Amino acid sequence: MKQTELLRLQLAILMLQHGERAILESIASLRGQDTGDLEAILVDIDKIRHARTKKPPAAKTPSFSIESVLRTHPEKADVIRSIQTRYEDKAFLTELKDVRRFLDRHGQPTNTLKTRSEAFAKVVRVLIELPIPELEVILSNAPSNEFSGLGVISDQILGRK
């Protein structure tokens, strides 16, 4: 438990036992102030707390633009756009775990990835570094949606082949 939480609980107990007025008078005497002065300070604090404005929304960072990356490698543009279409249709790297494995194999960190769509920027950065024949192999591979990861496990548990 944090110190501030513990203090808050102790003050709540004291207020229940002795009342708010007695607590304010005791604090005022400890600080060498009048109770009215202490109450005025508390009112000011309360006004400040209520006057807080919401933070302005953070400016969104510009979204990833595949076109800017492809301009630097125009010879790979058509193949990568085709792979992008397959990725969006979930015919290439169908699940986030597949995307993570792909990026791990190519030395990219994956610990911050939460969705397939946000991972695509990293996938493109890997794809752009691959040679064209390897990109064409990726494009020509048919999606393997024959079994899901859980289907294989359940088949093994049930003794199916």
Side-chain angles (χ1 to χ4, degrees):
M1 183 177 288
K2 292 182 181 178
Q3 289 291 342
T4 55
E5 292 172 356
L6 184 60
L7 177 63
R8 192 177 302 246
L9 289 172
Q10 290 173 335
L11 285 171
I13 291 170
L14 288 172
M15 287 179 69
L16 288 172
Q17 289 175 339
H18 304 284
E20 185 175 338
R21 189 78 191 153
I23 301 293
L24 286 176
E25 288 173 357
S26 296
I27 292 173
S29 70
L30 286 172
R31 295 196 62 192
Q33 293 179 321
D34 187 64
T35 307
D37 294 339
L38 185 60
E39 286 175 334
I41 291 171
L42 292 174
V43 167
D44 289 343
I45 290 171
D46 195 43
K47 284 180 185 176
I48 291 170
R49 187 177 306 134
H50 290 298
R52 287 182 184 161
T53 59
K54 291 183 178 178
K55 291 180 182 176
K60 289 189 173 183
T61 56
S63 60
F64 174 73
S65 170
I66 189 172
E67 296 305 318
S68 63
V69 174
L70 294 180
R71 270 189 233 119
T72 60
H73 300 279
E75 70 283 359
K76 298 177 182 180
D78 291 335
V79 178
I80 291 180
R81 281 192 191 98
S82 299
I83 292 173
Q84 177 185 15
T85 303
R86 290 194 61 215
Y87 186 87
E88 290 168 353
D89 295 339
K90 292 191 175 185
F92 171 62
L93 303 176
T94 58
E95 297 179 36
L96 182 58
K97 66 178 181 174
D98 300 323
V99 175
R100 287 178 192 263
R101 272 191 229 122
F102 176 81
L103 292 172
D104 284 338
R105 276 195 313 256
H106 291 90
Q108 296 296 315
T110 60
N111 51 354
T112 60
L113 299 180
K114 295 194 182 0
T115 64
R116 280 183 81 251
S117 57
E118 82 177 29
F120 186 68
K122 288 188 174 200
V123 171
V124 168
R125 288 185 187 106
V126 168
L127 292 174
I128 211 72
E129 298 301 320
L130 297 177
I132 292 176
E134 200 169 328
L135 293 173
E136 289 171 347
V137 167
I138 289 172
L139 190 58
S140 65
N141 283 342
S144 62
N145 292 335
E146 188 176 330
F147 295 107
S148 73
L150 292 177
V152 173
I153 293 170
S154 66
D155 286 346
Q156 288 179 348
I157 291 171
L158 296 172
R160 297 184 201 156
K161 289 194 177 196

